[in-house]
Amino acid sequence: MIIKKNDIDNLAETVLFANTPFYLYKKLSENDSVRNLSQKYSTEKLLSVLERLIEEEKNEITNLAEIYSIFIALLNKPISEIPGGREFFNSISVRWSSHLAEIHQSKQIGETFSSLDNNFRIDSRIDYSNSNNSDYRETKIAPKVDLF
């Protein structure tokens, strides 16, 4: 077990009450102990622990919480360090694993939104792929075109 007992209990509670993959992703991604896993341990170590936990097939909520936590930590590692790349995340036979990978990937791509001013259309794109939490924002301003 690479997660402290008191942390795993809190993570287990999160997993127990998660009713959607998005809720689980959000809560685990925001958790300090999950973030620390990605920083403290190598990709190889996380992969070996994850494989061992999945092979154990324990039906305990703490085991599932540790699996999900390591899975989220691996999502934050460079994809080039993961054998099989993105396909690895879809191959994990744990409920919601492919959904969690999709949610993570959509967060990395960013969000695009538009707003209309009186005379201009403003298109902005926020790119979350920079891992140091500083968002990159690209803004384009174009004259507003009335369609009708």
Side-chain angles (χ1 to χ4, degrees):
M1 183 178 289
I2 60 175
I3 302 174
K4 295 177 187 173
K5 175 69 174 133
N6 60 336
D7 290 336
I8 201 70
D9 289 341
N10 291 333
L11 294 168
E13 186 176 311
T14 298
V15 170
L16 185 64
F17 291 111
N19 59 355
T20 64
F22 185 78
Y23 176 87
L24 184 62
Y25 177 84
K26 182 178 182 335
K27 291 297 184 180
L28 292 180
S29 295
E30 294 172 349
N31 187 288
D32 289 336
S33 60
V34 174
R35 282 194 218 149
N36 290 338
L37 286 175
S38 187
Q39 295 168 355
K40 185 176 180 181
Y41 295 101
S42 70
T43 302
E44 294 78 23
K45 174 70 174 175
L46 292 173
L47 286 168
S48 68
V49 173
L50 181 66
E51 289 172 10
R52 181 183 48 79
L53 288 169
I54 290 172
E55 287 173 5
E56 287 177 359
E57 295 183 3
K58 289 183 182 175
N59 289 328
E60 298 174 9
I61 193 69
T62 54
N63 187 52
L64 189 58
E66 193 167 13
I67 288 171
Y68 278 130
S69 298
I70 293 169
F71 187 86
I72 296 294
L74 283 167
L75 284 170
N76 290 309
K77 292 288 193 175
I79 197 70
S80 60
E81 294 180 9
I82 308 292
R86 297 201 190 288
E87 284 303 312
F88 167 81
F89 297 109
N90 294 326
S91 70
I92 301 295
S93 61
V94 177
R95 182 179 180 213
W96 292 347
S97 60
S98 62
H99 295 292
L100 295 172
E102 288 173 19
I103 292 166
H104 180 76
Q105 186 174 0
S106 72
K107 293 289 185 189
Q108 298 306 304
I109 293 170
E111 299 173 3
T112 302
F113 59 92
S114 298
S115 60
L116 293 177
D117 191 306
N118 286 337
N119 298 315
F120 295 96
R121 175 185 170 118
I122 303 170
D123 292 326
S124 295
R125 182 177 184 282
I126 301 175
D127 185 357
Y128 298 105
S129 61
N130 191 347
S131 62
N132 64 8
N133 292 335
S134 62
D135 296 339
Y136 167 74
R137 182 182 300 259
E138 175 184 316
T139 303
K140 296 178 183 174
I141 301 175
K144 184 174 95 172
V145 177
D146 291 325
L147 299 175
F148 300 101

